[in-house]
Amino acid sequence: MSTAPTATTAENANLTDGFHVLVQSLLKNHLDRMYGVIGIPVTDVARIAQAKGIRYIGLRHESDAGNAAAAEGFITGKPGVYLTVSAPGFMNGLIPLKEATENGWPVIMLSGSSSRELIDLGEGDYEGLDQLNYAKPFAKAAYRVDKVEDIPLVVARAIRAACSGRPGGVYIDLPGDTLGQTVAQDVAESLLYEVNDPAPAQLPAPSVIESAMELLASAKKPLIYIGKGAAYAQCDDEVRQFVESTGAPYLAMSMAKGVLPDDHPQNAASDRGMTMREADVVVLLGARLNWMLNFGKGKHWNENVKFIQVDIDPTEIDNSRYIAAPVVGDLKSTVELFNDYLAAHPYKADPAWLEAIQADSAKNNARFSGAETADTVPMNHYNALGAIKKVTDANHDVYIANEGANALDDCRDIIDMYLPRHRLDCGTWGVMGVGLPYAIGAAATTGRPVISIHGDSAFGFDGMEVETICRYNLPVTVVVLNNGGIYRGDFKNLGTDGDPSPLTLSACAHYEKLMEAFGGTGYYATTPAEVEKYVAEGVASGKPTMVCCELSIHAGKESGHITYLNPQPVTGLLVGNEQEDLAEHRENGKLVD
Ligand code: ADP
Ligand code: MG
């Protein structure tokens, strides 16, 4: 274990130690925020970081610290940094490391660890674990630093690994011994350096651009699909010019909403199904053909569709199907090259294609808008979110953090985004427990108000972070859409023991009291008018606020929009009323009590 840093004395006045060199290395690279949970052997990392001007945000769980850092990585393009203690804290911190890597967001996880010799001989150290090897499968890259002189280098390597190519999570193992080692101050100074251009431009060859644009020119029904890779790449103006000059409809993935404002006339969101089924050439801008896009094949897509795929990661191409025009490069440079090409060889989609989509969209919007504005009580997801939409439509620079099943899917559909990188949600893995950490990361990074919208089940994974929000007085308005269960609250116990069903949680619970417990403002809303009023007050106050919304226990669908991913028990194996109950469970939630 580390030796504690000693007070400056005459003989060590010219020395520094691993704690200080680490903090200086971060600051040299403008990494001036750190999220974490402290303990042996990293407590003084956080204390010294704070003393030297790094804003330290202490969360209540390492998974939350990592997710808060990941939010910062997505919003800024600089790696978010988080700190954990050895073994158990380290393992809690691996989940967000993997999530960030799956999402393609840059983060650096710093974890204290035991002395090498104790681990390598298996002597059974306090919280002892061979952390570097455990971290490797979950990280884009993982390093251990054994010499204080190597700390500037490991920070630089971590930044480059996190940001270059497809961004991801990088692990740095910090044995307590290394933190406690000393080195002459002038030597340490001379070793510090700032990484030069951590994510250099990567341009596709002109012939690649030409083939891609020739394929686009052949399109009768083009579609541009904007993914969170494009949001991350901060090429909003380039993407807008590309979309507008082609006149093609576009669709935005969940966290790409706002790269173009959702009310843009070329947004095909309200006619997504038809647009995907009919498009003959699809330009993917930083969106993977994974489960979220049905792997680019099957009944959701035109069987003759051809893809132009722009991605920085060459191995992403052909991930799940044939790609007619692979374009490997960074999005900003690549879309700029597309625009240059189109300036010389203009291409305009047939306006009839977009007009047909717009006509369909108008019909679909008319059909659904009633649900969002209805004053049905008890509320459902549609009218509760419709009430929040009134607040967000009047405050475009509010960040949205969002998690849940129906709370996620319906929020994504209902709440329009107007600015890029303002929506953070369950992401590529579809995980829970990210909402409040993302809200904390967004608020700490930007100072802007955040509305954090959770299902009651999702809130359970990270709810204790309400205390963190209050402790740092962050401008976060937490909204819990409480329909009393996982998916919803009216499921039956199929057995006879009288316990709640596995899906049941506490209907009509007063989650807002948790906010009050830590000094924030809590509201309980039972009508859409109350939801709108309280959320507006919370956002305007810029202070920790929570609005607990009482929804019908019948509101919601099993697994939201991805019910189809549930395997079905074999018919005939169910007995008695199980069959009927299950069928009823999977039916769309009823909107009335
Ligand atoms: P979504 O979930 O929104 O569809 P994905 O996370 O599936 O988005 O896809 C994002 C893609 O963007 C990843 O394949 C990633 O490699 C790519 N990407 C990330 N940053 C860049 C960049 N700067 N330039 C090009 N592609 C990028
Ligand atoms: Mg995707």
Side-chain angles (χ1 to χ4, degrees):
M1 274 299 130
S2 70
T3 39
T6 49
T8 305
T9 59
E11 66 270 25
N12 66 14
N14 297 322
L15 294 180
T16 186
D17 59 20
F19 297 96
H20 287 84
V21 179
L22 174 64
V23 167
Q24 283 175 302
S25 303
L26 296 170
L27 283 170
K28 186 82 181 174
N29 285 283
H30 314 286
L31 301 180
D32 52 10
R33 256 179 304 274
M34 184 187 285
Y35 307 85
V37 181
I38 59 86
I40 297 170
V42 296
T43 307
D44 284 327
V45 171
R47 273 203 283 243
I48 292 166
Q50 195 173 49
K52 299 292 177 198
I54 290 181
R55 183 164 196 212
Y56 179 81
I57 310 270
L59 289 95
R60 303 307 300 262
H61 193 284
E62 295 83 356
S63 174
D64 298 339
N67 282 317
E72 174 156 349
F74 174 58
I75 291 169
T76 66
K78 284 198 307 188
V81 176
Y82 66 110
L83 178 69
T84 76
V85 303
S86 319
F90 157 81
M91 292 192 85
N92 284 340
L94 290 181
I95 298 174
L97 191 71
K98 180 64 176 158
E99 279 164 11
T101 306
E102 288 294 317
N103 278 335
W105 295 354
V107 293
I108 297 175
M109 173 179 175
L110 304 171
S111 180
S113 66
S114 297
S115 302
R116 290 305 317 146
E117 60 270 26
L118 294 177
I119 294 303
D120 291 348
L121 273 177
E123 292 188 47
D125 194 22
Y126 164 75
E127 295 187 349
L129 187 76
D130 185 8
Q131 293 177 195
L132 179 64
N133 281 317
Y134 281 80
K136 279 180 182 164
F138 299 100
K140 183 179 170 193
Y143 308 108
R144 177 169 52 235
V145 57
D146 291 313
K147 278 165 49 194
V148 61
E149 291 86 353
D150 285 337
I151 291 176
L153 182 71
V154 84
V155 169
R157 278 206 86 178
I159 293 170
R160 170 120 7 233
C163 297
S164 58
R166 175 186 289 166
V170 180
Y171 175 67
I172 300 181
D173 196 70
L174 293 165
D177 292 346
T178 311
L179 292 170
Q181 282 174 24
T182 54
V183 57
Q185 265 179 29
D186 54 346
V187 172
E189 273 306 318
S190 73
L191 293 169
L192 295 175
Y193 74 94
E194 184 181 344
V195 177
N196 182 23
D197 195 7
Q202 288 179 237
L203 277 67
S207 60
V208 171
I209 299 289
E210 200 178 305
S211 312
M213 291 298 94
E214 277 170 6
L215 177 55
L216 178 64
S218 74
K220 302 264 176 305
K221 295 182 173 182
L223 167 64
I224 297 166
Y225 229 122
I226 308 171
K228 66 177 174 297
Y232 172 81
Q234 302 192 15
C235 51
D236 318 319
D237 293 342
E238 291 82 357
V239 170
R240 180 189 273 267
Q241 190 188 328
F242 179 62
V243 168
E244 291 181 350
S245 77
T246 59
Y250 76 88
L251 286 166
M253 297 298 287
S254 189
M255 283 191 263
K257 278 164 67 80
V259 169
L260 293 177
D262 274 335
D263 60 356
H264 193 285
Q266 286 165 257
N267 185 357
S270 299
D271 196 25
R272 181 173 181 265
M274 194 281 277
T275 307
M276 282 171 61
R277 278 192 305 275
E278 296 206 359
D280 58 355
V281 175
V282 177
V283 187
L284 296 167
L285 301 179
R288 281 171 278 188
L289 289 179
N290 56 16
W291 68 278
M292 284 193 214
L293 287 178
N294 305 95
F295 308 100
K297 54 198 178 190
K299 63 181 179 178
H300 299 277
W301 293 98
N302 175 339
E303 64 177 331
N304 298 314
V305 62
K306 293 197 169 76
F307 285 98
I308 299 168
Q309 181 165 20
V310 183
D311 205 291
I312 201 157
D313 181 354
T315 65
E316 186 55 40
I317 316 286
D318 293 316
N319 169 64
S320 51
R321 55 155 294 143
Y322 170 76
I323 298 296
V327 185
V328 177
D330 81 89
L331 273 150
K332 194 174 173 72
S333 310
T334 303
V335 179
E336 239 167 51
L337 291 172
F338 283 171
N339 289 336
D340 292 349
Y341 182 95
L342 291 173
H345 312 84
Y347 163 76
K348 204 79 188 169
D350 178 356
W353 165 229
L354 183 61
E355 282 158 20
I357 291 169
Q358 288 169 335
D360 262 11
S361 298
K363 274 189 242 156
N364 290 340
N365 287 339
R367 201 140 46 92
F368 293 116
S369 68
E372 288 166 32
T373 52
D375 50 16
T376 322
V377 170
M379 293 183 285
N380 52 62
H381 297 88
Y382 306 122
N383 62 354
L385 288 160
I388 299 170
K389 175 180 162 61
K390 292 186 185 158
V391 182
T392 52
D393 278 350
N395 295 278
H396 290 184
D397 196 11
V398 164
Y399 283 77
I400 300 287
N402 185 202
E403 62 179 347
N406 295 280
L408 174 83
D409 292 332
D410 295 335
C411 177
R412 184 179 58 233
D413 291 348
I414 291 170
I415 305 248
D416 285 334
M417 303 306 298
Y418 299 90
L419 293 170
R421 299 168 291 285
H422 274 52
R423 182 182 157 81
L424 295 106
D425 67 30
C426 304
T428 302
W429 255 9
V431 288
M432 301 300 131
V434 295
L436 286 184
Y438 284 173
I440 289 168
T445 301
T446 68
R448 297 294 312 157
V450 182
I451 303 177
S452 194
I453 302 174
H454 310 248
D456 55 315
S457 157
F459 181 75
F461 292 83
D462 50 25
M464 196 62 201
E465 299 302 344
V466 163
E467 191 274 335
T468 305
I469 290 170
C470 290
R471 188 161 25 97
Y472 290 92
N473 195 24
L474 296 172
V476 178
T477 299
V478 182
V479 176
V480 174
L481 300 176
N482 185 13
N483 63 350
I486 303 176
Y487 311 133
R488 52 174 206 272
D490 61 356
F491 296 100
K492 294 175 201 152
N493 177 339
L494 298 184
T496 54
D497 63 13
D499 277 343
S501 124
L503 298 90
T504 301
L505 297 168
S506 301
C508 307
H510 282 263
Y511 285 99
E512 81 288 358
K513 299 238 182 269
L514 200 54
M515 182 61 86
E516 291 170 0
F518 301 108
T521 305
Y523 297 103
Y524 193 78
T526 57
T527 67
E530 286 171 356
V531 174
E532 182 189 346
K533 178 170 184 288
Y534 299 150
V535 173
E537 283 178 19
V539 169
S541 75
K543 297 240 173 323
T545 310
M546 184 150 165
V547 185
C548 180
C549 304
E550 183 182 310
L551 266 52
S552 164
I553 58 165
H554 307 302
K557 299 174 203 168
E558 180 158 338
S559 308
H561 291 187
I562 50 175
T563 306
Y564 67 92
L565 291 179
N566 288 300
Q568 303 287 314
V570 175
T571 312
L573 290 184
L574 300 168
V575 293
N577 62 358
E578 289 174 0
Q579 179 74 51
E580 196 188 312
D581 284 349
L582 268 187
E584 189 190 307
H585 287 178
R586 293 236 163 76
E587 195 183 273
N588 290 357
K590 295 169 229 141
L591 297 184
V592 289
D593 234 341

